[in-house]
Amino acid sequence: WFIHDRLKNDADRLRRSKYITMFMMASPFFFVPNVLKWMNMGHTSLALSMFAVMTIAIVSIMSIKITGSLAISGNMAFAALAWHFIYLPYVTGGIESSALAWNMVVPVLAATLVGMKSALFWTSVMLMEVIVFYKLHTMGYPLPTITLSPDQMLQTRLANILGPLLAMSLTISVADKGVRDTFKSQQKALQGRDRAMTDLEKSK
């Protein structure tokens, strides 16, 4: 229902539309626990940031239906994610923050759900973020840090390692399935052509 009729005429865009819709519909299962986590830890700005990202991700689903453009809907969601994955390291130490690992997720999602142009753009954005944080660090510019207990620090570091790894594994598996489905479709088309040629020879 969310997919515009224009996207249904192209197999690749239809596949990507389905994936981006499923990803964004499933996003509250990731965002809501994290919103609650930051609220409980007393970091309202991070909780609000993540809630805003979740809201934009859900709105981006509707934009697929309205605009029929994967680029608009996908990049809208990626812009929100990029904002949060820049803001999170900013308030947790900049270049020294383990949250920088999340930066890898945005280009991988962009490549899988929209295309390589989008992936290259978001890769450059994430690289610029790292460069800016590095420059601020070398210039001695102090960035805010969040005080965590040793247990909270361990949990946060673990989440910042396992989270991006799981997200990228899921995204890559989706991309791999898309490639295999495309290959199967090509095989079926070739088999259909061979059958048609055989029937033509028989008719002759």
Side-chain angles (χ1 to χ4, degrees), residues 57-102:
I58 293 168
V59 169
S60 72
I61 303 173
M62 289 304 301
S63 75
I64 295 177
K65 181 71 174 176
I66 296 166
T67 66
S69 171
L70 275 178
I72 292 172
S73 56
N75 288 314
M76 180 193 304
F78 303 147
L81 280 173
W83 149 256
H84 185 73
F85 293 151
I86 291 170
Y87 181 63
L88 178 59
Y90 173 77
V91 297
T92 55
I95 197 70
E96 296 180 342
S97 173
S98 61
L100 280 173
W102 284 101

Side-chain angles (χ1 to χ4, degrees), residues 49-145:
S49 174
M50 188 155 272
F51 182 79
V53 174
M54 179 179 69
T55 305
I56 293 168
I58 293 168
V59 169
S60 72
I61 303 173
M62 289 304 301
S63 75
I64 295 177
K65 181 71 174 176
I66 296 166
T67 66
S69 171
L70 275 178
I72 292 172
S73 56
N75 288 314
M76 180 193 304
F78 303 147
L81 280 173
W83 149 256
H84 185 73
F85 293 151
I86 291 170
Y87 181 63
L88 178 59
Y90 173 77
V91 297
T92 55
I95 197 70
E96 296 180 342
S97 173
S98 61
L100 280 173
W102 284 101
N103 285 1
M104 297 180 289
V105 173
V106 178
V108 173
L109 279 172
T112 304
L113 302 178
V114 176
M116 282 311 298
K117 286 182 181 178
S118 179
L120 290 171
F121 173 78
W122 290 111
T123 299
S124 65
V125 171
M126 298 292 100
L127 280 173
M128 283 300 297
E129 174 207 358
V130 173
I131 291 167
V132 169
F133 281 146
Y134 174 74
K135 287 291 185 185
L136 290 173
H137 180 75
T138 55
M139 291 165 59
Y141 184 83
L143 290 176
T145 56

Side-chain angles (χ1 to χ4, degrees), residues 3 7 13-21 64 70:
I3 299 171
L7 297 168
R13 292 200 299 168
L14 175 60
R15 175 181 64 82
R16 291 177 190 268
S17 301
K18 287 180 179 178
Y19 290 153
I20 198 169
T21 303
I64 295 177
L70 275 178

Side-chain angles (χ1 to χ4, degrees), residues 24-42:
M24 298 311 166
M25 289 180 77
S27 65
F29 293 103
F30 168 77
F31 288 122
V32 170
N34 280 282
V35 169
L36 295 175
K37 177 190 79 174
W38 289 119
M39 286 292 289
N40 290 333
M41 290 171 66

